[in-house]
Amino acid sequence: MVSAPNFWTRRETLAALHVYLLLPFGQLHHRQPKITQLATWIGRTSNSVALKLVNLASLDPQVRSRGLHGMGNVSKLDQQIWSELNESWDRVALEAAAEYGRLAQGHGVTPDEGLVDELLDFDEGRSRSATVEVRVNQARFRKAVLASYNATCCISGLRHEKLVIASHIVPWSEDTQNRLNPQNGLCLSALHDRAYDQGLITVMPDFTVRTSSSLRAGARSDFMATSLLRFDMQPIHMPDRFRPAPEFLARHARRFGFIA
């Protein structure tokens, strides 16, 4: 049995945070391969790592709103890192990825292996940069958003990892501090992502869908009615964690004239 140290270091906690960001909530258990792998790297038990991830989850207001709490062992360091994350999302997320990558490389593992290839299949078209760093960061954002929503379109309820997109609420090019922030993301089907990107639909700060007046006034069809118009005024399917930030939603709604 692995003999676990008593106290978690900042580096270990950041590496755990990186894993937490990429895993669906339902996979925060000791048998999850990424959890057992990280446990081996840092000389802890997989139970210990799984509990650390649950404690991090307990700091998320969206998780708390569902009545799910940690194991009562949230440390001051956990709280400090969570606070830093919410104050400067991209900086801390990248620091966490770097700590995870350092551990991975130290054990002969390529960090984020497969993320770039996955992104090439699901290019949002918002950034054409060919750099690996940008592509990996976009893929991390996609992983975090899809994990939060269980790969389910928050408007239509369509659930299939290959048919949904992690859509930025505030575009990648307009907010360099929240490019990796899953609270700046919605999980949408390809159709709803396109409609959202064009301002034909929005999600209001109260988490309800609005369709544009131009969409409602245009030529109607059964498909238009069932795929878009029927969701007007309906609430979105909320994620398990990292609910979309109302201030980001307001920026999108304001940009396309849904609110003044």
Side-chain angles (χ1 to χ4, degrees):
M1 178 179 293
V2 179
S3 177
N6 290 327
F7 299 105
W8 282 72
T9 67
R10 179 180 177 86
R11 284 185 160 187
E12 290 172 341
T13 304
L14 284 167
L17 174 64
H18 178 74
V19 173
Y20 172 71
L21 293 175
L22 302 183
L23 289 179
F25 187 84
Q27 293 187 25
L28 304 185
H29 56 76
H30 71 279
R31 296 183 301 278
Q32 213 288 334
K34 284 194 172 295
I35 290 177
T36 58
Q37 183 180 59
L38 179 60
T40 300
W41 292 349
I42 62 177
R44 293 181 178 273
T45 66
S46 56
N47 275 329
S48 173
V49 175
L51 288 175
K52 173 61 69 174
L53 269 58
V54 170
N55 285 331
L56 290 172
S58 74
L59 295 169
D60 187 331
Q62 177 65 10
V63 173
R64 285 184 176 273
S65 73
R66 298 182 0 252
L68 301 173
H69 302 281
M71 301 301 293
N73 295 318
V74 176
S75 69
K76 289 183 178 179
L77 179 59
D78 295 340
Q79 295 172 331
Q80 177 186 331
I81 289 176
W82 190 263
S83 177
E84 290 178 18
L85 178 69
N86 284 278
E87 290 173 3
S88 183
W89 193 282
D90 283 20
R91 178 184 64 80
V92 177
L94 289 172
E95 185 182 359
E99 290 300 337
Y100 179 85
R102 180 184 62 81
L103 287 168
Q105 290 175 342
H107 289 81
V109 176
T110 301
D112 298 319
E113 186 174 9
L115 280 182
V116 175
D117 291 339
E118 177 176 312
L119 183 67
L120 292 175
D121 291 335
F122 298 95
D123 193 348
E124 294 183 12
R126 293 188 175 89
S127 174
R128 297 301 181 184
S129 173
T131 65
V132 170
E133 181 179 3
V134 168
R135 289 191 175 277
V136 168
N137 286 338
Q138 287 180 322
R140 287 172 181 155
F141 173 78
R142 172 181 162 77
K143 280 282 191 183
V145 171
L146 265 61
S148 296
Y149 287 86
N150 288 308
T152 303
C153 174
C154 68
I155 293 178
S156 68
L158 173 69
R159 183 173 184 178
H160 195 297
E161 187 170 347
K162 294 186 177 181
L163 295 176
V164 292
I165 292 170
S167 181
H168 277 90
I169 300 169
V170 179
W172 176 277
S173 61
E174 294 182 13
D175 189 341
T176 60
Q177 304 303 309
N178 288 288
R179 289 174 168 175
L180 304 183
N181 187 350
Q183 296 170 113
N184 185 30
L186 296 169
C187 184
L188 298 171
S189 73
L191 172 64
H192 295 92
D193 170 73
R194 181 64 174 170
Y196 188 79
D197 196 43
Q198 296 297 311
L200 297 175
I201 60 174
T202 196
V203 176
M204 301 294 281
D206 65 356
F207 311 115
T208 57
V209 179
R210 295 291 190 280
T211 57
S212 70
S213 57
S214 62
L215 190 65
R216 295 193 301 273
R220 298 196 178 202
S221 66
D222 289 344
F223 180 78
M224 177 79 77
T226 58
S227 62
L228 292 171
L229 296 176
R230 75 182 179 93
F231 296 110
D232 191 45
M233 305 293 289
Q234 296 299 307
I236 64 169
H237 302 272
M238 295 297 286
D240 288 337
R241 58 187 180 179
F242 302 130
R243 73 176 189 177
E247 59 267 31
F248 296 148
L249 295 172
R251 285 176 63 177
H252 183 275
R254 190 173 296 114
R255 175 185 179 188
F256 290 103
F258 288 90
I259 56 177

